[in-house]
Amino acid sequence: MPKETVQDRVFRERLTSKLFADYNEAATRGAVLVARGEVAPLNPTEDRDAQIFVYNNVFFSFGADGVETFKTDGGDEAARVATGKDVVGVKAVNQLDVNGIFTPGTVVVDYLGKRIVGQSIVPGIFKQREPGEHQIDYGGVEGKDVVAANEKFTAPFAELSRAMKVKKHAVWDKEGKRHDLEASVETKGLIGTDGRNYVLDLYRITPLDIDWLEQYWKEIPKDGPPGDRAGSYPHRMAVLRPELVDVYWRKKLQDFVQERMDARKQANGSVEPIRESSDETQAQANEKSESNGAADPQQDRADKELPDGEEEPKTNGANEAKTNSVEGTKTDESKTVPTADGEDQKKEPEQHQIDVSDFQWCLNPDVYCGQAPQTDAEREEWERDEKEVRKVCKHLTEKVIPGLIEDLRAGDVGFPMDGQSLSSLLHKRGINMRYLGTIASLANQEEPRLQALKQLAIQEMIARGFKHVASKNLRHLPPPLAGACVAHLLNCLLGAELNDTPSAEMEKSLKELYSNADYEKYDDITPESLRNEVKRQISLRYRYELEGDWIQEGKHLQLLREIALKLGLQLTAREYMFTKTQVATNGTSTTDGLAAPTANGHSAGGSKKNKKRGSDKDSPNRGAVKSAPQMTFHPVDVQNIVPVLKEASPRSVLAEEAMEAGRMSLRQQDKELGQELLLESLSLHEQIYGILHPEVARVYYALSTLYYGLDEKNAAVELARKAVIVSERTLGVDSAETVLSYLNLGLFEHATGNTTVALKYVRHALELWKIVYGTKHPDSITTINNAAVMLQSIKQYKDSRVWFEASLAICKTVSGENHVNTATLLFQLAQALALERDSKGAVAKMREAHRIFEKELGKENVNTKESNLWLEQLVRSAVNVETQARNIQTRKTIATSRAARVGGTRLQPQAAAAQSTAVAGANAEGQQAATAGPSQADKRNLDQLLKYINGEEEKRTTPKKKTANPKRRQGASASSSS
């Protein structure tokens, strides 16, 4: 289709998006039927893993090594990984949209333990070729033994490889003949009968992670027994991620620019300020970073600056970086617009422009893959390629992974909420999931944030290890028995504390119907055997040894959620009891300790009478009377198992270009043009994807943050509402991105004055957060703090103080007692206590905050000085309050001493008033009134009289207290009868 004009591109991308959506749906439906055995194979006599299917014009095959293509690379494990990498490669090619290159529609579906690959049928792929004619036109035909190199593929493959940083290199066939290929020998080209050039098998677009393989992989001989391979990594398909290659490419480009700058300095003999490489290179870098930020909002830089007092609360975590990029434009503007002086802007590019057109850097994807160079020159070049790949591997383990750990420790990036956000964060940095064990080991420090990272990494490893165990048991099981199998495995993993000897439940009719099914394998699994197998999988795949309690206390629900997402489980929505303690308390324990904020200041718990009336129902004793469930999960709880999809649909380049142009205009202070481009980008996203699409939800999210930074608060609220609605319907109500969308919406509603509504959104987001991660997430400090500020703004000081205290408790756990963030929260808590008129408590908290500021930041720091001023004011206020209290006490004491001078005479109020008049210098009549006779004396004692003077009501004596002495009662009754 044409793509010369903008309208052509819009129509083309809209049609492409719809085409991919329809194909993915059809392929997924067909893959489910294939997995359930409802489609007849084209080759029924072959082994099950080697069978192929065609349904609805889609070609299906199993992600297993049915024809022993990957025999020496790990067999079925290698084939399974290769299919996933192939989808990544196809998606990258689709995104590049190179002229003259076409890809088949590709979908990978995981369902009932089986991995099924669905591909559109390439015209001519089943065509019988003439004798001596290869089935493949470019790349390896039969492994690496036969290589084809059709010249028709050279030009398009060269353009494709240049974009993917793949080096043109030589390979050799089994006869030692050299072939120069633009891509990996594993990547194949096929000329279809429709005349198009199709690219296939894109699972090797990056080199192998040779450092990992040399440590943990044991080679499989081509002939003979495999030998002792105990402890070996399951497969040899451990390749580097494309994101890592891009990261290293930018590093090499920076080194190249620095060398050119140094050479220019030496040539000119003067020291010149260093400028970025070129406008083109900088635009590419900005485009990369911004597109990543827009695609996944939860990975941006977390906000650690906590608001003060009555300030407007800041955005949570991911939002802050985006707001700063528009409000301040400090970071990016320093690169693109070095100075505010227009004259300098015109001169500096001419003086410091660096030509990077001759910069080239790429990798050979076929190194360490058994190629045999023939000449010395070829061997030397091959060795250089191998060294370059090793450098990238070293950069991953020595720079990228430790850098991520440090960023998470310092709070420079948003802390992941669940396994999905953790995977996204690692992939953006170019880190493979096989390094989860390395990350957990590096995070095993006393730093609380790193401890949280370690627990999250362990949880993700357990979920992935359990997925492999469950897939192995489900693979050859009839679909009607899958629910019983899943329920038993979940009982062995998550319900062992409730019942350490669970038994598999199965309907008698199903057992009779599938009497030949191999269900005994999972029936014999015990909690101990399952733990050992999961532990073995984690040791093999992630090189991490689990110790002690695997599941953190209170994290059973979060682990269940991770497993359900990975296996496609749909479970009954009910309260699951994982421990005996939950059964005893009837599952009503709370974990956050935060009361729900309300507009009128009353709690939502009801009156004391209602609480007392309903207390018997919730008592532990009554809960224990009920018959406790013998097992946590039952087969009926597994409502459905849905397919988990990996697809290759590209993003809209045109819409992202409009978004980037709008951002650039805002950075250059062109607000009108920037807003126009942003709205155009939104319109393009809606036209191309439709309204209900994850990419549209992310654009709503990004635009709401940008408009908030532009002080267009009403527009920001409207966009944030749409982001929440679309995120819930496309990503899920419990998605981490949905949680962030709710937090954004709450912030923007508060900014427009709808604080009561904002608090409801924040509370809802925290409830979702508790389901996704649990309590005490490191980034939840800012959210709880923001809610406390909102409560202060509507003068709910008591609730505000409770939320400040909760935020401070988490901050002490996460950051430590003497951290600056802790001091900031102590500062705000002191202000909240002052608003509650608790002067002593406010002084104590402010003094502690001042001590931390002075210790960590120094006496001259602004925060230290401000806290000192507040401390002086609070102390002065506390002294005034104490002085007033002492004056009142002094007056009471004087009144007491004057009353004591009367002697045994008890005074009536009127007489006391007359006496005070006499003391002030009244006449003798007042003194006589003060010494009235006994018939007018007050019967109250001195303490009761003081209470009356102070305005305190005297409590009436109850009848029970009057009749406390039984003998006295008897005497009274006797006298009355007589």
Side-chain angles (χ1 to χ4, degrees):
M1 294 180 62
K3 51 181 178 180
E4 284 74 19
T5 65
V6 174
Q7 192 59 36
D8 289 341
R9 294 180 64 185
V10 171
F11 183 74
R12 186 175 188 270
E13 291 187 353
R14 181 169 56 194
L15 187 60
T16 301
S17 177
K18 186 178 186 307
L19 178 65
F20 272 97
D22 293 342
Y23 172 78
N24 292 339
E25 182 180 358
T28 303
R29 189 183 300 112
V32 169
L33 296 177
V34 169
R36 299 176 69 90
E38 299 180 18
V39 179
L42 298 180
N43 52 345
T45 58
E46 298 286 342
D47 185 69
R48 174 67 175 171
D49 291 337
Q51 290 178 350
I52 57 177
F53 309 82
V54 173
Y55 179 80
N56 202 11
N57 292 324
V58 180
F59 176 76
F60 295 100
S61 61
F62 290 104
D65 192 21
V67 293
E68 297 186 350
T69 304
F70 300 93
K71 180 180 179 181
T72 59
D73 293 330
D76 289 345
E77 288 283 354
R80 183 180 180 279
V81 173
T83 57
K85 299 296 182 185
D86 185 37
V87 173
V88 175
V90 172
K91 188 170 187 176
V93 174
N94 291 338
Q95 189 66 43
L96 292 172
D97 195 15
V98 177
N99 290 326
I101 289 291
F102 299 88
T103 59
T106 306
V107 167
V108 171
V109 178
D110 291 324
Y111 182 66
L112 294 178
K114 305 176 184 69
R115 170 158 287 191
I116 301 165
V117 183
Q119 291 181 312
S120 59
I121 300 176
V122 177
I125 193 171
F126 296 121
K127 178 184 175 182
Q128 294 295 328
R129 300 292 182 105
E130 297 293 333
E133 188 179 4
H134 299 312
Q135 192 75 19
I136 298 298
D137 297 303
Y138 195 86
V141 180
E142 298 174 2
K144 307 177 188 68
D145 295 337
V146 180
V147 180
N150 193 313
E151 294 296 331
K152 191 175 180 181
F153 282 92
T154 302
F157 264 48
E159 183 179 355
L160 179 65
S161 298
R162 187 163 50 252
M164 291 184 171
K165 286 80 176 176
V166 175
K167 180 181 179 181
K168 181 180 180 180
H169 59 282
V171 296
W172 296 265
D173 57 21
K174 61 181 179 180
E175 297 177 356
K177 183 180 178 181
R178 171 172 173 156
H179 302 269
D180 292 329
L181 297 181
E182 296 285 350
S184 170
V185 69
E186 303 288 351
T187 303
K188 301 172 178 59
L190 175 66
I191 302 176
T193 55
D194 57 355
R196 295 178 176 177
N197 299 331
Y198 290 92
V199 57
L200 308 172
D201 295 346
L202 288 160
Y203 54 82
R204 185 68 67 77
I205 59 176
T206 55
L208 294 173
D209 188 355
I210 189 60
D211 283 359
W212 178 274
L213 293 176
E214 286 182 345
Q215 292 184 62
Y216 307 119
W217 166 257
K218 295 180 180 179
E219 294 290 342
I220 301 176
K222 293 184 178 181
D223 300 322
D228 184 16
R229 302 189 66 253
S232 174
Y233 193 64
H235 58 83
R236 200 175 184 271
M237 294 298 298
V239 297
L240 300 174
R241 290 196 63 85
E243 295 90 344
L244 177 66
V245 177
D246 292 336
V247 168
Y248 197 78
W249 178 84
R250 287 194 290 271
K251 175 183 178 299
K252 297 292 289 186
L253 178 60
Q254 292 175 358
D255 296 341
F256 175 82
V257 172
Q258 187 63 46
E259 291 177 3
R260 290 293 180 92
M261 291 297 300
D262 294 340
R264 178 175 292 181
K265 289 177 185 179
Q266 295 177 1
N268 296 337
S270 61
V271 179
E272 299 176 355
I274 299 176
R275 177 178 165 80
E276 294 291 335
S277 58
S278 68
D279 293 342
E280 179 182 354
T281 305
Q282 186 60 39
Q284 292 175 355
N286 288 340
E287 181 180 358
K288 181 72 176 178
S289 61
E290 293 293 345
S291 63
N292 286 347
D296 192 357
Q298 65 196 16
Q299 302 302 339
D300 292 335
R301 185 181 186 276
D303 172 30
K304 290 291 116 184
E305 295 283 340
L306 298 175
D308 295 334
E310 294 286 347
E311 287 184 1
E312 181 180 301
K314 296 185 179 180
T315 52
N316 181 74
N319 311 338
E320 187 64 17
K322 293 182 178 179
T323 305
N324 286 341
S325 67
V326 178
E327 289 178 345
T329 63
K330 296 177 182 178
T331 303
D332 292 326
E333 191 171 345
S334 63
K335 297 179 181 178
T336 57
V337 185
T339 63
D341 187 2
E343 183 177 354
D344 291 342
Q345 289 179 357
K346 295 178 182 178
K347 291 183 178 180
E348 194 174 21
E350 297 178 1
Q351 297 175 354
H352 300 280
Q353 186 72 29
I354 298 296
D355 183 17
V356 295
S357 59
D358 56 342
F359 170 75
Q360 292 183 355
W361 180 87
C362 44
L363 294 174
N364 183 349
D366 287 329
V367 294
Y368 304 108
C369 293
Q371 292 293 330
Q374 302 298 311
T375 65
D376 292 340
E378 293 172 349
R379 293 189 189 95
E380 290 179 3
E381 184 179 2
W382 202 259
E383 288 177 359
R384 288 196 298 268
D385 293 343
E386 290 178 343
K387 288 180 181 179
E388 200 64 32
V389 171
R390 283 192 181 276
K391 288 180 182 179
V392 179
C393 297
K394 292 293 183 184
H395 183 73
L396 172 62
T397 55
E398 296 177 2
K399 298 293 183 181
V400 177
I401 295 178
L404 174 64
I405 298 294
E406 178 59 27
D407 288 345
L408 288 171
R409 185 196 66 78
D412 291 337
V413 294
F415 200 91
M417 294 185 190
D418 58 355
Q420 188 175 5
S421 57
L422 177 62
S423 302
S424 178
L425 176 61
L426 295 182
H427 288 167
K428 283 188 176 182
R429 296 290 183 106
I431 304 173
N432 303 85
M433 297 307 293
R434 59 176 172 271
Y435 285 99
L436 274 175
T438 303
I439 291 173
S441 299
L442 293 176
N444 190 19
Q445 303 177 23
E446 294 182 359
E447 182 71 26
R449 287 180 67 89
L450 295 184
Q451 283 294 319
L453 175 63
K454 174 189 171 184
Q455 293 296 333
L456 186 59
I458 290 176
Q459 176 179 287
E460 180 67 7
M461 286 189 287
I462 294 174
R464 288 173 176 263
F466 179 83
K467 179 189 70 173
H468 289 287
V469 176
S471 298
K472 181 180 178 182
N473 286 275
L474 289 171
R475 187 170 300 139
H476 304 293
L477 203 65
L481 303 181
C485 176
V486 169
H488 179 64
L489 293 177
L490 289 176
N491 282 325
C492 291
L493 180 70
L494 297 173
E497 295 183 39
L498 180 64
N499 186 349
D500 56 359
T501 58
S503 59
E505 297 178 338
M506 187 185 304
E507 295 183 13
K508 185 177 180 180
S509 58
L510 288 177
K511 189 174 286 189
E512 294 176 353
L513 184 62
Y514 297 99
S515 57
N516 296 329
D518 193 11
Y519 56 81
E520 295 181 358
K521 286 185 177 180
Y522 79 84
D523 196 12
D524 296 336
I525 293 177
T526 63
E528 184 66 24
S529 64
L530 179 65
R531 287 175 65 91
N532 291 334
E533 181 61 22
V534 172
K535 186 176 180 180
R536 189 182 73 86
Q537 292 289 337
I538 293 174
S539 178
L540 287 178
R541 298 177 185 276
Y542 307 107
R543 300 295 152 173
Y544 187 81
E545 299 297 332
L546 291 176
E547 298 176 357
D549 294 334
W550 294 3
I551 306 172
Q552 194 176 2
E553 184 179 357
K555 288 294 188 72
H556 294 79
L557 182 62
Q558 286 70 36
L559 181 56
L560 175 61
R561 175 180 175 272
E562 295 290 345
I563 291 172
L565 289 174
K566 287 173 173 57
L567 290 176
L569 305 180
Q570 291 182 343
L571 305 175
T572 302
R574 67 176 179 86
E575 188 77 20
Y576 290 97
M577 305 297 175
F578 300 103
T579 62
K580 294 180 181 179
T581 305
Q582 283 183 298
V583 176
T585 58
N586 203 20
T588 57
S589 60
T590 60
T591 53
D592 56 359
L594 291 175
T598 55
N600 55 10
H602 298 289
S603 63
S607 64
K608 294 182 179 179
K609 292 182 179 180
N610 293 335
K611 289 182 179 178
K612 187 174 181 181
R613 192 178 300 144
S615 60
D616 292 340
K617 298 180 181 179
D618 298 331
S619 64
N621 293 332
R622 287 187 176 269
V625 174
K626 299 179 181 179
S627 59
Q630 294 299 318
M631 290 185 293
T632 305
F633 301 93
H634 302 278
V636 294
D637 291 327
V638 184
Q639 297 288 332
N640 192 16
I641 300 179
V642 298
V644 179
L645 183 68
K646 296 178 185 289
E647 49 89 25
S649 57
R651 300 190 311 273
S652 171
V653 178
L654 181 62
E656 291 183 358
E657 287 176 353
M659 173 70 75
E660 178 60 22
R663 292 177 186 270
M664 294 294 292
S665 299
L666 293 176
R667 292 194 193 99
Q668 297 170 3
Q669 307 303 321
D670 193 345
K671 181 178 178 181
E672 184 177 353
L673 178 61
Q675 287 182 314
E676 184 178 350
L677 289 171
L678 291 176
L679 291 177
E680 182 65 24
S681 172
L682 177 60
S683 176
L684 290 173
H685 275 89
E686 293 176 344
Q687 289 182 52
I688 293 169
Y689 296 113
I691 300 297
L692 294 178
H693 194 278
E695 290 296 329
V696 176
R698 295 179 182 117
V699 170
Y700 282 141
Y701 178 93
L703 288 183
S704 65
T705 308
L706 290 173
Y707 272 88
Y708 181 74
L710 296 172
D711 205 24
E712 299 282 349
K713 296 179 180 178
N714 292 327
V717 168
E718 186 66 24
L719 290 168
R721 286 174 182 165
K722 292 181 179 180
V724 166
I725 294 171
V726 180
S727 295
E728 281 188 334
R729 282 157 178 76
T730 58
L731 299 171
V733 294
D734 60 341
S735 170
E737 294 185 41
T738 302
V739 173
L740 291 178
S741 298
Y742 267 111
L743 293 176
N744 249 17
L745 179 57
L747 174 70
F748 301 159
E749 287 283 4
H750 170 71
T752 57
N754 299 328
T755 304
T756 304
V757 178
L759 286 169
K760 292 180 180 179
Y761 289 139
V762 172
R763 181 72 187 187
H764 182 67
L766 287 174
E767 291 295 330
L768 294 177
W769 209 331
K770 190 164 61 175
I771 295 173
V772 174
Y773 176 84
T775 57
K776 298 183 179 180
H777 186 277
D779 287 349
S780 65
I781 299 171
T782 305
T783 300
I784 298 175
N785 190 81
N786 287 346
V789 174
M790 294 178 188
L791 287 166
Q792 274 190 354
S793 67
I794 58 175
K795 299 183 180 181
Q796 297 297 323
Y797 299 128
K798 183 178 180 181
D799 289 340
S800 173
R801 189 251 309 159
V802 172
W803 283 67
F804 274 128
E805 290 174 347
S807 178
L808 177 62
I810 300 176
C811 189
K812 286 183 176 180
T813 303
V814 172
S815 301
E817 296 280 347
N818 297 317
H819 197 274
V820 176
N821 290 343
T822 304
T824 305
L825 284 172
L826 285 168
F827 185 93
Q828 292 179 289
L829 180 58
Q831 292 176 329
L833 291 170
L835 290 173
E836 275 198 280
R837 302 191 179 187
D838 184 358
S839 300
K840 292 183 179 180
V843 169
K845 298 300 181 183
M846 189 61 70
R847 183 180 290 113
E848 188 176 356
H850 177 70
R851 177 187 62 82
I852 298 173
F853 280 138
E854 186 175 7
K855 179 181 177 182
E856 299 295 329
L857 303 177
K859 293 184 178 180
E860 300 302 322
N861 186 267
V862 177
N863 292 326
T864 306
K865 293 180 179 179
E866 185 178 1
S867 62
N868 188 40
L869 290 175
W870 271 91
L871 181 60
E872 292 176 356
Q873 294 176 2
L874 289 174
V875 169
R876 202 176 299 117
S877 175
V879 169
N880 293 336
V881 172
E882 185 66 22
T883 302
Q884 293 178 3
R886 289 186 179 182
N887 290 338
I888 294 174
Q889 184 64 30
T890 302
R891 287 196 293 269
K892 292 180 181 178
T893 304
I894 293 174
T896 303
S897 61
R898 289 169 180 170
R901 294 173 190 164
V902 182
T905 307
R906 296 179 179 178
L907 305 179
Q908 290 183 350
Q910 297 85 352
Q915 182 182 3
S916 63
T917 305
V919 173
N923 53 24
E925 295 179 358
Q927 294 181 2
Q928 294 176 358
T931 56
S935 61
Q936 298 177 356
D938 196 322
K939 296 182 179 180
R940 289 176 291 185
N941 58 25
L942 185 60
D943 293 335
Q944 293 173 340
L945 185 60
L946 285 175
K947 290 182 179 180
Y948 177 81
I949 293 173
N950 293 331
E952 297 178 10
E953 290 293 333
E954 181 182 358
K955 294 184 179 179
R956 296 294 180 182
T957 306
T958 59
K960 291 184 180 180
K961 291 183 179 179
K962 288 182 179 180
T963 59
N965 192 338
K967 293 182 179 180
R968 194 168 183 176
R969 286 201 305 270
Q970 292 175 2
S973 61
S975 61
S976 62
S977 62
S978 62

